[in-house]
Amino acid sequence: MFAKEALKSQDSIKSKSQNSKNVESKSKESKNIESKSQNLQEYMLDPTHSSVSFAVKHLSVADTIGVFTDFSGQIFYDKNTRDLRLQGSLDVDSVNSFNVGRDEELRNTDFFIIKNISLESTSKKDNILYAKVSINGITKIVKFNVKITGPIRNPSLDIKDSKDSKSKQNIESKSPVNPLFSTNSNTQNVLINPHFPTQDLSDNKEDCGCYVSFGDNVLGIVLEGRINRFDFNISPTTPRELLGEFVDVKIIIEASN
């Protein structure tokens, strides 16, 4: 009897010990996840150098393309683990398919009942990103091929450095290394862009925002995916022979931090 009680006691101790290890293991795992999350850096979307475009077959033979010009988003990226998280939305009324009549139809018929489209990433593995896409109040998981470039040091910082120089002679005195760069005595590269209006400090032109991006580091992301328009109730009465069943989506992002 005493032997049985002793065995029960030992089993109870082992069970408590195992439970304690499991709790400790879960706690460590939670800390690791939290630690990874803390390494994510936010990158600010640069809408001037980003785009949201689509292509859909017309009459089953040729792609009709278009873009949405009013969009916003948040991007978080860990350059060490290459973990990427993003979310964004766009205004359907900003559609531009390069035909005024067609754009009016896209805005005012049964293509888009709800005037907002949203996307939120759920997971990423290697070069595949999964995201929740919401169109017309319907949300589905969509797979995207993702290509990430960077982050790299922002080259336009050198343009801004030259813009802030107090004299034109200070720029011109640098010895050219090649047609794109010049180098001063401190070997700091200054990027020369012939289209950048402030290279000549005597002019009063302002930067159009086309050539620079703000932030120390820049990141490029390309997402390519495909949706079935019938899954999202996009013009369900239009036969697929007239308007393709599948819509190819391409999202190009430039962001900086």
Side-chain angles (χ1 to χ4, degrees):
M1 179 178 178
F2 289 112
K4 287 182 180 179
E5 291 296 328
L7 286 173
K8 285 182 180 179
S9 177
Q10 286 178 4
D11 289 341
S12 176
I13 291 170
K14 285 181 181 179
S15 177
K16 287 179 180 179
S17 175
Q18 185 61 42
N19 288 337
S20 176
K21 286 180 180 178
N22 289 338
V23 169
E24 184 179 351
S25 175
K26 287 181 180 179
S27 176
K28 285 182 179 179
E29 184 180 351
S30 176
K31 286 180 181 178
N32 286 337
I33 293 171
E34 186 180 26
S35 175
K36 287 180 181 178
S37 298
Q38 289 174 350
N39 290 330
L40 287 166
Q41 299 291 318
E42 182 171 10
Y43 287 76
M44 305 305 294
L45 177 70
D46 181 350
T48 304
H49 302 102
S50 303
S51 62
V52 180
S53 61
F54 62 89
V56 60
K57 280 282 188 291
H58 177 247
L59 302 182
S60 305
V61 292
D63 283 345
T64 294
I65 62 172
V67 297
F68 294 97
T69 58
D70 185 1
F71 54 87
S72 61
Q74 286 184 299
I75 302 100
F76 297 89
Y77 183 64
D78 183 338
K79 66 180 181 180
N80 296 316
T81 64
R82 298 184 68 79
D83 186 17
L84 172 67
R85 301 180 194 181
L86 51 83
Q87 60 182 18
S89 63
L90 62 81
D91 181 359
V92 166
D93 284 343
S94 70
V95 66
N96 181 1
S97 66
F98 311 102
N99 180 284
V100 174
R102 183 168 54 218
D103 293 344
E104 286 300 315
E105 186 172 354
L106 289 170
R107 296 184 186 110
N108 299 312
T109 57
D110 63 346
F111 282 87
F112 301 105
I113 306 303
I114 297 176
K115 300 301 184 179
N116 180 272
I117 295 175
S118 65
L119 176 150
E120 182 179 358
S121 64
T122 58
S123 63
K124 175 182 174 292
K125 184 176 181 182
D126 299 326
N127 296 323
I128 301 296
L129 180 135
Y130 293 91
K132 292 188 294 183
V133 175
S134 297
I135 304 174
N136 287 333
I138 301 169
T139 301
K140 291 186 176 293
I141 298 294
V142 176
K143 182 177 77 170
F144 291 89
N145 293 317
V146 58
K147 179 181 179 181
I148 299 172
T149 304
I152 64 168
R153 182 183 183 277
N154 184 354
S156 67
L157 292 177
D158 296 323
I159 296 178
K160 286 188 286 182
D161 289 343
S162 67
K163 176 181 176 180
D164 294 334
S165 298
K166 293 183 179 179
S167 69
K168 181 179 178 181
Q169 289 75 20
N170 190 36
I171 298 175
E172 291 177 341
S173 64
K174 299 174 174 40
S175 303
V177 175
N178 61 44
L180 296 179
F181 290 91
S182 61
T183 308
N184 64 13
S185 58
N186 296 322
T187 67
Q188 179 183 5
N189 286 328
V190 176
L191 191 63
I192 304 300
N193 187 330
H195 302 289
F196 193 69
T198 53
Q199 295 298 329
D200 183 352
L201 300 182
S202 65
D203 66 42
N204 295 316
K205 296 179 183 177
E206 294 183 0
D207 173 36
C208 64
C210 306
Y211 302 115
V212 300
S213 186
F214 298 96
D216 291 341
N217 302 291
V218 285
L219 180 69
I221 303 168
V222 178
L223 301 174
E224 293 183 285
R226 170 174 282 191
I227 65 169
N228 186 317
R229 67 179 174 90
F230 293 109
D231 289 345
F232 292 95
N233 206 30
I234 300 172
S235 192
T237 59
T238 304
R240 57 176 53 85
E241 291 82 4
L242 301 181
L243 182 68
E245 176 180 1
F246 298 104
V247 182
D248 292 319
V249 179
K250 186 172 185 177
I251 303 171
I252 299 175
I253 297 170
E254 183 177 306
S256 62
N257 75 353

